[in-house]
Every structure is written in C-alpha cells, then in structure tokens.
Amino acid sequence: MTTVNNAWQAVWQRIESAAQAAGRPVTDISLLAVSKTVEAARIRHVAQLGQRAFGENYVQEALDKMADLADLALEWHFIGPVQRNKTVAIATHFDWVHSVDRFLVANRLSAARPRERGLLNVCIQVNLSGEATKSGVTAAELPDLVSAIKALPNLRLRGLMAIPRPEKTVAAQRAQFAAVRCERERLNRLGAEMDTLSMGMSADLESAIMEGATLVRVGSSLFGERIRAAAKESKE
Ligand SMILES: *Cc1c(COP(=O)(O)O)cnc(C)c1O
C-alpha cells in the first residue's frame, strides 16, 4: 500500500506549496479525503497515516464503511446530493454536510439530528455561475437561506461549498473560486459567521487555496481514478 502512502504525501506537498504561494499558513487548510467507491480497507490505511476526515456521496455505501471502521475515530462528511428520504440517516451518522442547497433539507436535517451528537456542521452548496444542470444556490438566494439555517437549533452553519465547472486555465479556475470567497465575505458582513470555504478538488486545489479555500476535497489524486462511480450513482 505504499502507493496510497505516496499519494497522501504528494497531496500534502501540493497543499503546502499552494499555501506558501498564497502566503497562508498551511494549518488554515484541511484535507477531506473523498472516499466514495473506495473500500474500507483502503480508508483504514489512509487513516493510519493520520487522515481523520473522509467524504462520502452515497448514504448506504457510507453507512457500511462506517460500521467496518467503527473502531477508528473518524470524521464523516456527506458531500453528495441530499435526497429528502435520506436526511434521517445523514443527520444521525455524519459530522458534516457540505451539500445543503435548500431550506427543506436543512430543516429536516436539524429535526433529525440526535441531541447526543451535538450540532451538525453544514455548508451551503453554491452555484454562482448559474449553470442550470448543477445543484446549488444562486447569489440572490443566499442571504435568506443563510438566516433561515442560522435559526435552526441543531445545525451549525460553517460555510460555503462549491464545485465549479472544470476550467483549463488557472486564471479561469481562480475567478470562479474568487466569486465564492467574495460571497462568504459579503455574507459574513451581514452576520453569517462562516469560517469554511469548501472548494478545490484533485484538478484545481492550488487555485482554490490561492482564493482562500479552508478545506479541499480530494478523491482521485489520493485513491486513483474511480471506475465504479457511474454504476454506484445509478444504484442510489
Ligand atoms: C468526487 C468528489 C470530489 C473529489 O473529486 P476528485 O476530482 O476525485 O478529487 C470532491 N467533491 C465532491 C462533491 C465530489 O463528489
């Protein structure tokens, strides 16, 4: 399993170089290991290297792995589209949800959060370029959703999450991440108190860190290309 070891170190190298280029302390940036379609044994290996936070997109797949890895103190982040019939399972078993994109879902997550688990950390998924095919909230919808979520008793609003469209140039990548950063600044001036920018993946984490990402979500650079992703997606 030295390849996973090397990959994990290589990703941290990239994070460190980008932080340095951005003039930011590397301690401001956390790595979410995106482990969708990755079997529990490989997650365990990365956990042994010191990785605590893992991101999953499919509820049933995640619950199976959580059971296999229950002896480890891991932090589980839900990053896939939230279906309303999955909100109880998500609120019960996850520590974070990055993909809240409407009040209905936030309300159900808050109602279902077991008291003994403390507040559920959430990010609002944004779609600032207005791509019709993408989930996510537009800039115009954000202020109302932020205040509505902040009023919910069992959620803690942590920040914004973005999956911008793939761009070929660093300048174009940075422009999209900069728009997310500006939204957080604008909303924080209105009292949102958000500390998280969840943005940047294998292909563009450097650009995201240049624009203030506090959490990068990395899958294929850590675990290799996903071959089963499409099959899984149609199953859920
Ligand atoms: C799969 C996924 C990632 C990781 O993407 P890679 O390109 O494999 O690093 C990050 N965020 C979300 C929401 C994902 O679904």
Side-chain angles (χ1 to χ4, degrees):
M1 283 303 233
T2 67
T3 52
V4 175
N5 202 331
N6 292 345
W8 193 70
Q9 275 166 13
V11 167
W12 269 113
Q13 272 299 323
R14 288 176 61 190
I15 294 171
E16 272 162 29
S17 315
Q20 200 164 30
R24 303 177 55 199
V26 70
T27 48
D28 282 3
I29 299 147
S30 61
L31 170 62
L32 180 66
V34 175
S35 47
K36 61 182 176 225
T37 79
V38 175
E39 61 274 31
R42 300 178 70 209
I43 297 177
R44 183 177 293 277
H45 188 89
V46 177
Q48 278 157 0
L49 302 174
Q51 180 66 32
R52 292 264 77 81
F54 291 87
E56 292 281 342
N57 297 54
Y58 313 109
V59 176
Q60 192 51 54
E61 179 192 334
L63 298 190
D64 293 345
K65 290 188 244 181
M66 286 174 189
D68 285 345
L69 299 165
D71 57 308
L72 303 175
L74 302 182
E75 189 179 273
W76 293 96
H77 295 231
F78 190 78
I79 61 174
V82 182
Q83 294 164 9
R84 60 150 81 191
N85 62 339
K86 300 277 167 64
T87 46
V88 172
I90 293 171
T92 305
H93 296 286
F94 283 84
D95 302 294
W96 281 68
V97 180
H98 290 237
S99 39
V100 171
D101 63 354
R102 55 202 193 280
F103 181 71
L104 173 86
V105 156
N107 195 28
R108 290 172 77 107
L109 289 171
S110 180
R113 181 66 169 175
R115 191 158 298 261
E116 69 275 12
R117 297 233 42 204
L119 301 183
L120 177 64
N121 298 292
V122 301
C123 293
I124 298 175
Q125 184 171 349
V126 296
N127 174 9
L128 300 179
S129 56
E131 288 166 277
T133 53
K134 282 248 174 86
S135 37
V137 177
T138 65
E141 295 165 328
L142 268 172
D144 284 351
L145 185 58
V146 164
S147 12
I149 289 179
K150 280 179 73 73
L152 291 172
N154 300 320
L155 303 187
R156 179 169 171 216
L157 179 62
R158 298 297 298 266
L160 302 179
M161 184 276 246
I163 315 175
R165 65 175 174 267
E167 295 282 6
K168 288 204 177 58
T169 69
V170 167
Q173 290 173 352
R174 285 187 59 171
Q176 297 200 81
F177 292 128
V180 185
R181 170 172 53 75
C182 292
E183 272 310 310
R184 182 181 70 156
E185 285 162 10
R186 177 177 77 105
L187 294 162
N188 277 352
R189 281 195 297 273
L190 300 171
E193 300 177 292
M194 298 188 288
D195 62 10
T196 299
L197 282 178
S198 166
M199 58 190 200
M201 316 199 290
S202 295
D204 54 15
L205 69 88
E206 285 85 359
S207 297
I209 289 171
M210 291 304 288
E211 297 300 340
T214 64
L215 180 154
V216 291
R217 308 178 309 268
V218 179
S220 46
S221 287
L222 271 180
F223 295 110
E225 295 299 328
R226 289 173 296 273
I227 42 176
R228 295 189 296 123
K232 277 277 176 193
E233 220 144 352
S234 57
K235 232 174 69 182
E236 266 218 353

